Each structure stands twice: as C-alpha cells, then as structure tokens.
Amino acid sequence: MEPNVATEPVVELTASAAEEVKALLGKVENAGKTLRVYIEQGGCSGMQYSMTFDEKRPDDLIAEFHGVTVLVDPFSAQYIHGAVVDFNDSLTSGGFKISNPNARQSCGCGKSFTA
C-alpha cells in the first residue's frame, strides 16, 4: 500500500464525474497528470472549490474512483472530507458540482462555501 493512500477517501467521484475527467485527461495538455481537488481562499462565502490537473506531491492523499485517481492536499482535506464530486451536462446547470457535508453555508453559485 502506498504511504498516502487514504483508507477512507477524502472525496468521492461519481461515475459521471469520472467519465468527464477521463475525457479531459485525454487532451494533450493534461497528459501524464492527475486530478487534484482543493480549496482556496476566495469566492463569495470565504472559501472556494477548485480542480486542476497536476503532478503528485509527497504529502498528497490519494484515492481512485471508476479508474480516475484523485489527489487532495492535507490542508484541503480538512475542509472537504466526505465531499462528493459530480458532473452534470445539462444546458442550464451543467458542470462539476461538489457536495460538501462540512459546509455550514454555500453560496448560490455552488462554488464557494463557509466551513
């Protein structure tokens, strides 16, 4: 077992989110990279969710869902533990959505929260 493989994953990817990530990983600029889910200061509620394709860092927590590896740094893990990343391709409210059980308050855009 790798040293930072979480026994209980920090975040979970739904099947639809994993399929969209696989499609994005197929693009040349993302080759050899891994999905990173993290939080940063900002947004209308104080913290905002972010995702990027990145290289693994030594202290990352790692999980795999539907063939997609997900990286989360320890700082972000404390705010998004138990969150679910989903993807919806509808015209009006499509895109990635993160449901976070740790958010005390979320803004209307769904990309920002208060811990």
Side-chain angles (χ1 to χ4, degrees):
M1 185 162 133
E2 288 185 43
N4 291 332
V5 173
T7 54
E8 180 183 318
V10 175
V11 298
E12 180 182 337
L13 245 61
T14 65
S16 60
E19 289 306 311
E20 182 65 15
V21 170
K22 285 178 189 175
L24 293 170
L25 282 170
K27 296 185 177 189
V28 173
E29 64 269 19
N30 298 327
K33 295 187 179 176
T34 305
L35 176 67
R36 176 178 300 282
V37 179
Y38 63 101
I39 60 106
E40 58 188 351
Q41 299 288 12
C44 43
S45 294
M47 297 181 144
Q48 63 187 14
Y49 304 109
S50 294
M51 296 190 304
T52 190
F53 294 109
D54 198 6
E55 306 286 327
K56 183 191 173 311
R57 299 177 192 152
D59 60 346
D60 283 337
L61 300 168
I62 305 165
E64 187 174 323
F65 301 94
H66 311 285
V68 174
T69 301
V70 181
L71 305 173
V72 179
D73 65 87
F75 175 79
S76 297
Q78 62 187 329
Y79 294 102
I80 59 174
H81 191 271
V84 176
V85 180
D86 193 16
F87 180 80
N88 184 324
D89 62 359
S90 74
L91 291 175
T92 56
S93 62
F96 286 99
K97 303 284 185 207
I98 298 179
S99 301
N100 184 355
N102 304 301
R104 286 187 295 149
Q105 178 181 344
S106 294
C107 68
C109 70
K111 296 182 189 321
S112 181
F113 71 102
T114 303

